[in-house]
């Protein structure tokens, strides 16, 4: 009975968060949830790592551990957990597919539990939080992950519980990846604490962090403009 209550609550919450009467938000969410939209952000994060590490070994270690975190957060989920649980997406679930709003007939492949979008973005956010130690960057990347998760519910691709579990799993995998990085990094580089208003305590330039913020804001602006143009063309 308790499980039935949780499933019922999950479905009720989905209906509250799924879709809207706004064509703008429909188009914006389709753009926001697309992984290609965030290539500039990910590339700028890579440049942040490149500019603030001295050797290719250090850079390769950061990149390798990020990829490790993403593999164990989303890759392992897609290969093992989703097929094992085999929960239908809301847009395909016989009990829900006639009740939810499906934007432009967008239906992702595969199963619903749990959300790889939520897991991957949270793994990256948590890893970068530990790595860079910037409150501004951490808050921004957490917000980015939260909005990515919301977009999946809005578009009826996941139940809220899928997204919540994805965030929790991603946070654990991001922390685990950083632990691996930390243990290995101390073997190839001496630990250094930076005391400067221009750098974080781990040696990352505030100017470079602000450049990441700028790229993210520009990406959001472009997404808004594209959504407006698409909405206009839909009338």
């Amino acid at each position: 009975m308790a499980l039935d209550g949780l499933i019922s609550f999950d479905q009720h919450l989905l209906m509250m968060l799924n879709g809207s009467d706004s064509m703008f938000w429909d188009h914006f969410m389709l753009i926001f949830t697309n992984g290609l939209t965030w290539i500039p952000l990910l590339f700028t994060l890579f440049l942040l790592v490149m500019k603030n590490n001295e050797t290719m070994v250090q850079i390769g270690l950061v990149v390798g551990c990020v990829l490790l975190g993403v593999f164990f957060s989303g890759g392992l989920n897609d290969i093992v957990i989703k097929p094992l649980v085999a929960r239908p997406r809301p847009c395909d679930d016989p009990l829900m597919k006639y009740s939810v709003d499906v934007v432009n007939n967008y239906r992702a492949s595969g199963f619903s539990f749990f959300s790889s979008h939520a897991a991957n973005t949270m793994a990256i956010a948590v890893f970068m939080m530990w790595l860079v130690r910037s409150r501004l960057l951490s808050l921004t990347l957490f917000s980015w992950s939260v909005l990515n998760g919301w977009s999946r519910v809005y578009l009826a691709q996941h139940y809220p519980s899928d997204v919540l579990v994805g965030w929790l799993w991603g946070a654990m995998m991001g922390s685990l990846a950083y632990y691996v990085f930390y243990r290995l990094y101390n073997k190839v580089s001496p630990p250094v604490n930076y005391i400067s208003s221009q750098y974080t305590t781990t040696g990352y330039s505030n100017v470079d962090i602000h450049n990441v913020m700028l790229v993210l804001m520009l990406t959001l602006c472009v997404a808004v403009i594209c959504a407006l143009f698409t909405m206009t063309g839909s009338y």
Side-chain angles (χ1 to χ4, degrees), residues 2 5 14 41 60 73 79 82 118-120 134 139 161 167 193 210 232-233:
L14 168 68
L41 172 63
S73 61
I79 296 170
K82 280 186 176 181
N120 287 337
S134 163
L139 180 61
S161 61
W167 283 330
N193 286 324
H210 291 154
T232 303

Side-chain angles (χ1 to χ4, degrees), residues 3-23:
L3 180 60
D4 290 339
L6 288 174
I7 293 174
S8 178
F9 176 75
D10 204 20
Q11 292 171 343
H12 178 70
L13 191 58
L14 168 68
M15 297 304 297
M16 292 176 59
L17 299 175
N18 161 242
S20 71
D21 295 325
S22 169
M23 291 186 66

Side-chain angles (χ1 to χ4, degrees), residues 11 14 17 25 35 37 40 48 74 82 91 100 111 136 139 144 154 157 161-162 202 205 211 217 230-231:
Q11 292 171 343
L14 168 68
L17 299 175
W25 283 113
T37 300
L48 175 69
K82 280 186 176 181
C91 59
V100 295
F111 295 105
L136 176 62
L139 180 61
W144 169 64
Y154 183 98
Q157 303 308 300
S161 61
D162 301 331
T202 53
S205 166
N211 288 337
M217 293 305 298
T230 307
M231 180 184 69

Side-chain angles (χ1 to χ4, degrees), residues 55-74:
T55 68
M56 290 305 296
V57 172
Q58 294 171 340
I59 295 167
L61 187 57
V62 173
V63 173
C65 287
V66 169
L67 293 176
L68 181 69
V70 169
F71 172 76
F72 278 105
S73 61

